[in-house]
Amino acid sequence: MSKAKLYYVHDPMCSWCWGYQPTWKQIEQTLAHDFATSLEIQYLVGGLAPDSDEPMPEEMQRQIASYWRKIADYLGTEFNYQFWTDNTPRRSTYPACRAVLAARKQGAERAMISAIQKAYYLRALNPSDTPVLEQLAAELQLDCEKFSQDLHSESLNQAMLREIAFARSIGGNSFPSLFFEREGQLVELAIDYQNAQQTIEQIRQLMAS
């Protein structure tokens, strides 16, 4: 029987993904323990916002900051609002998505996602900026020269675009999204931001059926 797959569609700069992180970590750890040999968890970057050098309009800044407050109120998630005064925000998450793929090549995909989220939401750093991404790679003790080469390479950019296209093709148009696949059958799972157990039970049922 072929291995089942759980696709986690995310964007490293998506604030709802940051809010979901504690619940997702619980899900991932439980599934890795219960289905170590029969279920593969695969991360897919969703590509929230393409490359842009344009400063984010102030109205959009206020809107996104309001999303942060909503998530903080709903989930108790921590945000550092100093980001908005310390940086020139840009609506551009592709650089961070490429950084995740570059780190994946060095076996550090999850570590880079976490580093980007903490840099953005807790440290008020801007992951739309390449120097910030290179700083995070150094902090993670990656091969910085290889990371930088990969980050700027056209082959990695194309790999990112293919991954985004695949995520879209299975229905991953919002982040985070979860999809269970086995033997060609694809099931989208509802995202419960507060209850890991509900998602775990749903996957257990799918694995048993």
Side-chain angles (χ1 to χ4, degrees):
M1 187 180 283
S2 63
K3 208 178 207 186
K5 268 187 181 176
L6 182 66
Y7 294 109
Y8 174 57
V9 185
H10 73 102
D11 189 288
M13 290 179 69
C14 158
S15 49
W16 281 103
C17 295
W18 171 237
Y20 187 53
Q21 193 57 23
T23 301
W24 168 241
K25 205 170 275 184
Q26 267 183 278
I27 294 166
E28 192 174 25
Q29 286 170 350
T30 303
L31 296 177
H33 177 267
D34 292 0
F35 302 107
T37 58
S38 54
L39 177 68
E40 178 190 345
I41 297 173
Q42 188 172 332
Y43 281 58
L44 298 172
V45 292
L48 185 61
D51 292 303
S52 173
D53 292 326
E54 292 296 310
M56 192 185 289
E58 282 188 23
E59 189 180 332
M60 185 182 281
Q61 291 187 41
R62 284 193 294 273
Q63 185 180 37
I64 293 173
S66 77
Y67 296 156
W68 290 15
R69 289 188 191 90
K70 181 180 176 182
I71 295 163
D73 290 344
Y74 178 44
L75 299 171
T77 310
E78 189 180 345
F79 291 91
N80 184 347
Y81 298 93
Q82 213 173 316
F83 172 83
W84 300 104
T85 51
D86 286 1
N87 297 278
T88 303
R90 304 198 310 285
R91 186 72 171 154
S92 182
T93 74
Y94 276 24
C97 290
R98 280 192 289 268
V100 168
L101 267 61
R104 182 191 291 168
K105 284 171 158 282
Q106 298 191 42
E109 176 178 25
R110 287 159 173 76
M112 179 56 80
I113 294 165
S114 178
I116 290 169
Q117 289 177 326
K118 287 173 182 172
Y120 186 23
Y121 294 115
L122 301 180
R123 299 169 66 188
L125 300 174
N126 190 353
S128 297
D129 295 340
T130 299
V132 169
L133 299 169
E134 290 174 334
Q135 175 188 335
L136 298 178
E139 289 173 4
L140 292 172
Q141 298 184 311
L142 302 186
D143 178 334
C144 293
E145 190 177 340
K146 181 175 176 3
F147 176 84
S148 193
Q149 284 174 350
D150 287 334
L151 189 63
H152 294 95
S153 77
E154 186 51 34
S155 62
L156 186 128
N157 185 53
Q158 290 301 319
M160 178 196 69
L161 294 174
R162 284 193 300 274
E163 191 161 310
I164 291 168
F166 176 69
R168 296 281 191 281
S169 77
I170 61 172
N173 299 305
S174 61
F175 319 117
S177 294
L178 285 172
F179 298 88
F180 178 88
E181 182 187 45
R182 189 167 62 183
E183 295 171 355
Q185 297 295 308
L186 192 72
V187 179
E188 182 170 5
L189 308 179
I191 296 288
D192 188 323
Y193 286 92
Q194 294 170 303
N195 186 353
Q197 206 53 42
Q198 193 161 317
T199 305
I200 291 163
E201 286 307 321
Q202 195 178 353
I203 292 165
R204 281 185 179 141
Q205 288 170 13
L206 288 164
M207 289 296 289
S209 64

